[in-house]
Amino acid sequence: MKELATIKDKYLYMFADCFPVKGHTRTMLCDVSRQKVYFVDNSYYELLSVLKENNIGTVAEMLDGEEDLIFFKDFIDYLVDIELAIVVDTLDRFPAMELEWDHPSKIINSIIDIRDEMHDFEKIFNELEVLACYHIQIRAYCQLPVSRLEEILALTVGKNFRSIDFLIEYDGKEKEIKALLDKYEIAQVTYHTYDMELFDEEPEAKNRSKVYHGSLGYTKQKVSGCEGCGLINVNSMRIRDVKGFTENIKHNGCLNRKISIDETGNVKNCPSMQKSYGHVNNISLTKIADDAEFQKPWNINKDNIDGCRDCEYRYICTDCRAYTTDGDLHSKPAKCQYDPYTGKWADKVESVNTVFA
């Protein structure tokens, strides 16, 4: 192996924002910055672990036979070609990334459901402002007139919210909605139950659950209540930035620092969950956010969950604790379509064949 001999004293360095995640059937190589994933056989996960401490020549000496050496060199070339790694003289200048996560806000995001009664949004927004909440989603299971939408948005003026997203049934009022969104730049509207040809006009949208046109989004999904959430399939996978990826490793990808209000006004971790911490009209959101019991689900990460801990998708996957296979907070999401033990999606024919094996 003449080529291998020329780099035997060098090291393979996998970039700090590229993470190998070992599952039961295969390993995912997740390029967080480029938002790409690659799959390799699990034996290469072990190989990458050894390469963190040893130069290429030392690792080559551990292998048996010419065939293994060929695969080893091909693997190095593959990682370099897809820009997940480089060959360097020393690893001393490339310390490992500290996988720590924190955030200055007590609450980062909130879900508010409405149907038959309108909540006191002035009270809610004032309290979310105190909690330094960044993102708010309002899901309407009723017709929401543009005038009511504007009343709600007017209450966000002067607040430090980063975004406020509305999920509403399609009503054909796009012109009025677009004018409203131009006025309130933090706002976005997603229409559900969208039964028009927009998806057919955009071929690349066929494999997506939503289509976005500026601040307006469209989905064919009919949303009639909170019970529609929690589905985990190919389309629900989303690679977050390094900070978000680390949050998924340390905390629950859905519930961490979230506070929700269901359609009847009960304050919960998620509107779909059974446990309520009181009615929003009678209790302080700040008090609930400080409650140790309320905070417990924040730290149920994928490594704590049956089945999920063996899944290579676990750090880019959303997580639902409202619908689980046996009602336990640490059991697999009931609406997950992936089996990590076969490497197949229930709603999509996909083998466990890897990109490099």
Side-chain angles (χ1 to χ4, degrees):
M1 293 295 293
K2 183 178 179 181
E3 291 184 45
L4 199 58
T6 62
I7 57 173
K8 66 182 181 64
D9 295 324
K10 297 182 182 293
Y11 294 82
L12 183 73
Y13 171 66
M14 195 165 187
F15 295 120
D17 58 355
C18 299
F19 299 89
V21 184
K22 185 180 180 181
H24 185 270
T25 59
R26 58 183 177 177
T27 289
M28 173 188 289
L29 304 178
C30 186
D31 185 341
V32 173
S33 296
R34 291 188 175 92
Q35 296 191 318
K36 293 182 178 180
V37 297
Y38 306 86
F39 298 96
V40 299
D41 187 85
N42 276 340
S43 60
Y44 291 103
Y45 179 89
E46 310 303 334
L47 187 62
L48 287 170
S49 299
V50 177
L51 283 165
K52 288 181 180 180
E53 305 292 337
N54 299 277
N55 65 30
I56 292 170
T58 300
V59 176
E61 291 175 358
M62 299 178 185
L63 302 177
D64 296 324
E66 188 75 11
E67 187 177 12
D68 284 350
L69 289 172
I70 292 172
F71 277 123
F72 180 41
K73 180 59 168 58
D74 287 346
F75 182 57
I76 293 173
D77 290 341
Y78 171 70
L79 294 181
V80 172
D81 287 344
I82 62 175
E83 299 182 324
L84 294 190
I86 56 174
V87 175
V88 297
D89 293 329
T90 177
L91 295 176
D92 294 343
R93 298 180 181 179
F94 305 98
M97 180 183 295
E98 294 292 334
L99 295 179
E100 299 297 330
W101 184 91
D102 202 356
H103 196 280
S105 300
K106 176 70 73 172
I107 292 293
I108 301 174
N109 59 86
S110 176
I111 296 179
I112 304 169
D113 285 354
I114 53 177
R115 190 187 298 271
D116 299 325
E117 58 184 88
M118 195 60 57
H119 304 307
D120 184 349
F121 280 99
E122 183 173 10
K123 173 183 183 295
I124 293 169
F125 287 169
N126 285 340
E127 294 190 55
L128 290 178
E129 173 78 356
V130 172
L131 292 165
C133 181
Y134 276 21
H135 309 291
I136 300 171
Q137 182 184 43
I138 297 175
R139 306 186 300 193
Y141 308 130
C142 58
Q143 289 293 323
L144 194 63
V146 177
S147 59
R148 181 55 60 87
L149 202 71
E150 184 161 20
E151 288 176 11
I152 295 172
L153 282 171
L155 296 171
T156 68
V157 175
K159 302 289 192 295
N160 290 313
F161 304 143
R162 301 289 180 87
S163 68
I164 179 164
D165 300 337
F166 292 87
L167 180 65
I168 61 177
E169 185 173 351
Y170 182 70
D171 59 2
K173 299 291 180 62
E174 286 143 303
K175 185 176 180 180
E176 294 93 328
I177 292 292
K178 285 180 180 178
L180 193 60
L181 297 180
D182 288 339
K183 182 178 179 180
Y184 298 94
E185 294 183 356
I186 66 168
Q188 177 174 291
V189 167
T190 298
Y191 282 122
H192 67 81
T193 322
Y194 185 78
D195 189 22
M196 294 181 75
E197 59 280 350
L198 181 62
F199 280 80
D200 297 327
E201 293 173 1
E202 301 185 9
E204 70 276 9
K206 291 182 178 180
N207 295 323
R208 300 206 306 267
S209 59
K210 293 181 182 179
V211 171
Y212 289 97
H213 279 198
S215 297
L216 270 178
Y218 302 83
T219 177
K220 293 180 178 180
Q221 181 182 2
K222 180 176 178 58
V223 182
S224 57
C226 64
E227 64 279 354
C229 70
L231 178 65
I232 298 173
N233 58 20
V234 174
N235 291 328
S236 71
M237 294 295 154
R238 182 169 65 92
I239 304 174
R240 301 169 65 185
D241 58 17
V242 171
K243 183 178 179 181
F245 188 86
T246 304
E247 181 184 6
N248 269 9
I249 293 175
K250 298 292 183 179
H251 302 282
N252 185 273
C254 179
L255 299 177
N256 186 41
R257 304 213 190 178
K258 173 182 284 181
I259 196 166
S260 302
I261 300 167
D262 72 9
E263 61 188 67
T264 62
N266 289 310
V267 182
K268 302 177 177 180
N269 292 103
C270 165
S272 298
M273 299 181 83
Q274 296 298 312
K275 185 173 179 57
S276 169
Y277 293 85
H279 195 279
V280 67
N281 291 345
N282 306 320
I283 194 165
S284 163
L285 296 182
T286 303
K287 181 179 180 181
I288 294 176
D290 285 329
D291 188 309
E293 190 68 23
F294 179 79
Q295 293 180 9
K296 279 185 178 180
W298 295 1
N299 299 314
I300 303 175
N301 62 38
K302 287 290 191 178
D303 291 320
N304 302 143
I305 298 171
D306 294 340
C308 296
R309 65 172 62 96
D310 298 321
C311 180
E312 65 273 21
Y313 288 98
R314 61 187 178 275
Y315 300 142
I316 65 169
C317 181
T318 56
D319 184 49
C320 180
R321 297 295 87 210
Y323 305 105
T324 60
T325 51
D326 59 11
D328 186 272
L329 276 176
H330 291 83
S331 60
K332 182 179 178 178
K335 299 182 183 182
C336 177
Q337 301 294 306
Y338 185 67
D339 183 349
Y341 304 106
T342 63
K344 294 183 179 180
W345 292 93
D347 57 347
K348 180 180 178 181
V349 178
E350 182 178 287
S351 72
V352 297
N353 290 339
T354 58
V355 173
F356 187 92

